[in-house]
């Protein structure tokens, strides 16, 4: 059955914009008084509502909107860690009291604390907690999210996490893309060197991840408290040889990871708060998407990723929430992207591109991220007649309506 939705005061399609570099708002395609025909989960036609409605047939459904709404593509949060158990409020109190994140990690808090709690949670407990967060994402207008493992750090617990992520994807309307982050840190109870841990993952875990079709994406945290550039180099080479696509938690506190990401053709290099002009130039001259995580900067009270410089140099910039129990507990992509945009002087087009089609590219999803014929009918509508109002309210104007694959969610 076909369905026509509209009229929207404006549809900002995000169509026809380049993947890389700066974007200016006058280049946005804005359809005034627009409508969208949907059939079998896809957009089949988009244009002025009055013209589209002329093609109406007797059994077509018309979802007529009263009032002002601006439509955007559903947001894509391409970096989250929403599969976890427990809270790290204790870490947060220490951090705002002045203890650095890496020092808390050295004292046994940080990621290891979440690993301990996530291991203790059984499958159903983790499923319920992850499912609640996934539902919140969708209600916030995020129609696709990436979710990492990385709080299990044994073969069994990493598989448990990836299976939870798959089950939430299957049971809920939001699409979740799982990523294996078994190389988050070397677990404190692993008997062996860091390199032996990575070898263990490569031999014992990744073949199972592949066999069971749990993920085709491998991530690693390259940082002082996690894995060195040399260890990362070894791991990424092997993971690529096994046929995985790779990505890196890079340059969060010290530069290094992004060079590796570019060297190994990573789909994305994420964080980049500590990237210097050298790393910015490398990323700009590569096909690796630079992923800013403003939620981690806000959560840790550190500088934002140099987004303005990255875009001016010609990089592709995506923006994600990094929702996790430690460094980024807020998990509110729209608010974070709006705040990042204000600090980094991003145009509306650059900010929204970062949470739509540029984020889709980081997940290698070519079927979403813009509103155009042939794409998934994942869309959100804000209660205004002027798209500029959306980021102006810095996250407080929420999507009033959300459709996932054409289905009205709320
Ligand atoms: O992306 N940087 C490493 N990993 C996560 C943090 C996870 C945590 O603190 O639990 C991040 O910020
Ligand atoms: Fe992260």
């Amino acid at each position: 059955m076909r369905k026509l939705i509209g009229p929207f005061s404006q549809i900002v399609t995000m169509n026809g914009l380049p993947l890389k570099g700066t974007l200016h708002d006058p280049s946005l395609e804005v359809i005034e008084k627009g409508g969208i025909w949907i059939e079998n989960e896809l957009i089949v036609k988009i244009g002025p509502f009055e013209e589209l409605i002329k093609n109406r047939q007797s059994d077509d459904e018309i979802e007529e909107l009263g009032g002002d709404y601006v439509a955007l593509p559903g947001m894509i949060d391409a970096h989250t860690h929403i599969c976890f158990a427990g809270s790290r409020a204790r870490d947060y109190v220490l951090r705002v009291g002045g203890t650095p994140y890496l020092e808390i990690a050295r004292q046994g808090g940080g990621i290891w604390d979440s690993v301990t709690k996530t291991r203790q949670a059984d499958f159903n407990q983790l499923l319920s907690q992850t499912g609640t967060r996934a539902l919140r994402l969708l209600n916030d207008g995020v129609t696709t999210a990436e979710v990492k493992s990385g709080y299990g750090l044994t073969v069994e617990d990493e598989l448990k996490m990836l299976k939870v992520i798959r089950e939430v994807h299957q049971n809920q309307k939001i699409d979740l893309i799982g990523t294996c982050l078994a190389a988050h840190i070397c677990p404190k109870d692993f008997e062996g060197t860091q390199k032996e841990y990575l070898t263990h993952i490569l031999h014992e875990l990744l073949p199972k991840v592949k066999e069971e079709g749990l993920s085709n994406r491998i991530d690693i945290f390259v940082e002082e408290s996690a894995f060195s550039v040399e260890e990362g180099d070894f791991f990424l080479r092997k993971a690529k040889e096994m046929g995985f696509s790779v990505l890196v938690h890079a340059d969060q506190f010290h530069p290094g990871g992004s060079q590796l990401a570019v060297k190994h053709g990573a789909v994305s290099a994420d964080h980049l708060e500590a990237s210097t002009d050298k790393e910015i130039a490398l990323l700009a001259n590569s096909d690796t998407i630079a992923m800013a995580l403003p939620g981690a900067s806000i959560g840790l009270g550190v500088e934002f990723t140099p987004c303005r410089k990255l875009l001016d140099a010609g990089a592709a910039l995506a923006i994600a929430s990094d929702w996790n129990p430690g460094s980024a507990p807020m998990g509110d992509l729209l608010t974070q992207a709006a705040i990042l945009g204000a600090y980094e002087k991003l145009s509306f087009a650059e900010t929204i591109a970062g949470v739509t089609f540029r984020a889709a590219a980081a997940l290698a999803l070519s079927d979403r991220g813009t509103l155009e014929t042939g794409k998934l009918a994942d869309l959100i509508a804000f209660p205004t007649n002027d798209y500029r109002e959306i980021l102006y309210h810095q996250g407080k104007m929420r999507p009033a309506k959300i459709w996932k694959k054409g289905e009205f969610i709320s």
Side-chain angles (χ1 to χ4, degrees):
M1 197 185 57
R2 291 198 319 164
K3 173 162 85 170
L4 174 63
I5 311 177
F8 295 97
S9 310
Q10 297 177 324
I11 301 174
V12 183
T13 67
M14 301 308 289
N15 190 12
L17 299 169
L19 180 61
K20 295 179 70 173
T22 56
L23 296 173
H24 302 288
D25 293 349
S27 330
L28 288 168
E29 179 184 51
V30 180
I31 303 172
E32 306 283 342
K33 299 194 173 32
I36 303 177
W37 273 113
I38 293 166
E39 193 170 3
N40 296 331
E41 306 185 345
L42 300 179
I43 296 171
V44 291
K45 206 162 172 56
I46 182 162
F49 186 80
E50 287 310 320
E51 279 175 32
L52 295 186
I53 204 166
K54 288 183 194 152
N55 301 325
R56 165 186 204 165
Q57 287 161 13
S58 56
D59 57 347
D60 286 337
E61 185 189 327
I62 310 290
E63 221 174 293
E64 193 142 4
L65 305 172
D68 289 323
Y69 293 100
V70 172
L72 292 184
M75 289 186 286
I76 297 172
D77 193 342
H79 181 140
T80 84
H81 306 250
I82 61 165
C83 184
F84 64 86
S87 157
R88 299 243 298 279
R90 179 186 155 275
D91 283 15
Y92 192 81
V93 166
L94 289 173
R95 276 209 310 276
V96 297
T99 314
Y101 181 70
L102 293 178
E103 178 55 32
I104 294 170
R106 272 191 286 275
Q107 291 172 10
I111 293 166
W112 182 245
D113 186 34
S114 294
V115 170
T116 310
K117 289 167 180 154
T118 304
R119 284 182 183 175
Q120 281 163 3
D122 68 23
F123 186 88
N124 286 327
Q125 289 166 330
L126 205 51
L127 185 68
S128 142
Q129 295 181 36
T130 308
T132 302
R133 295 181 194 114
L135 194 59
R136 202 188 95 185
L137 282 175
L138 183 61
N139 287 325
D140 284 347
V142 173
T143 46
T144 300
E146 184 260 19
V147 187
K148 300 171 194 298
S149 67
Y151 294 123
L153 310 187
T154 62
V155 171
E156 192 191 330
D157 289 297
E158 285 292 305
L159 290 174
K160 175 178 77 176
M161 290 189 73
L162 289 168
K163 286 177 183 167
V164 163
I165 296 162
R166 178 166 68 185
E167 190 144 332
V168 176
H169 166 73
Q170 287 166 348
N171 292 346
Q172 294 204 17
K173 310 268 186 214
I174 187 171
D175 284 323
L176 298 186
I177 311 293
T179 299
C180 180
L181 177 59
H184 202 179
I185 54 169
C186 180
K188 289 185 188 295
D189 56 357
F190 182 77
E191 289 171 10
T193 62
Q194 304 239 129
K195 183 145 183 219
E196 283 164 351
Y197 173 67
L198 293 176
T199 305
H200 169 68
I201 292 170
L202 287 162
H203 291 170
E204 306 301 328
L205 174 64
L206 298 199
K208 293 198 173 77
V209 171
K210 199 161 218 208
E211 260 162 50
E212 300 196 36
L214 287 166
S215 177
N216 62 1
R217 294 163 45 89
I218 302 296
D219 195 350
I220 181 168
F221 185 19
V222 175
E223 189 47 66
E224 269 185 11
S225 58
F227 296 99
S228 68
V229 170
E230 292 69 34
E231 289 157 352
D233 193 33
F234 158 77
F235 182 70
L236 291 172
R237 184 163 43 81
K238 296 283 184 193
K240 281 209 86 174
E241 281 169 14
M242 293 175 76
F244 288 100
S245 99
V246 299
L247 52 148
V248 183
H249 273 71
D251 305 356
Q252 185 179 13
F253 302 105
H254 305 91
S258 59
Q259 290 181 40
L260 264 189
V262 170
K263 175 177 172 188
H264 291 281
V267 280
S268 65
D270 306 34
H271 275 294
L272 310 176
E273 295 89 332
S275 297
T276 69
D277 290 348
K278 180 175 151 206
E279 287 77 33
I280 290 170
L282 272 175
L283 286 162
N285 290 314
S286 76
D287 292 330
T288 298
I289 309 266
M291 183 111 50
L293 305 173
S297 297
I298 296 167
L300 297 176
V302 302
E303 294 289 303
F304 286 115
T305 299
C307 298
R308 185 68 271 147
K309 283 188 168 185
L310 280 159
L311 286 164
D312 289 347
L317 178 80
I319 303 168
S321 74
D322 196 19
W323 188 358
N324 73 67
S327 58
M330 184 205 287
D332 185 341
L333 180 59
L334 178 66
T335 303
Q336 294 166 359
I339 292 169
L340 175 73
Y343 275 80
E344 281 295 309
K345 311 285 178 264
L346 307 183
S347 66
F348 176 92
E350 287 167 334
T351 302
I352 299 301
V355 296
T356 57
F357 72 92
R358 288 175 168 175
L363 298 176
L365 296 172
S366 54
D367 61 352
R368 65 197 76 187
T370 57
L371 298 176
E372 59 181 303
T373 302
K375 299 278 165 138
L376 285 177
D378 290 358
L379 57 138
I380 57 181
F382 291 85
T384 175
N385 59 8
D386 179 347
Y387 72 79
R388 294 173 302 188
E389 294 279 336
I390 298 169
L391 294 177
Y392 167 62
H393 288 278
Q394 300 187 308
K396 285 305 268 186
M397 179 184 280
R398 312 301 290 181
K401 293 179 186 288
I402 296 156
W403 292 263
K404 175 65 188 169
K405 294 181 179 154
E407 185 184 334
F408 182 64
I409 302 293
S410 65

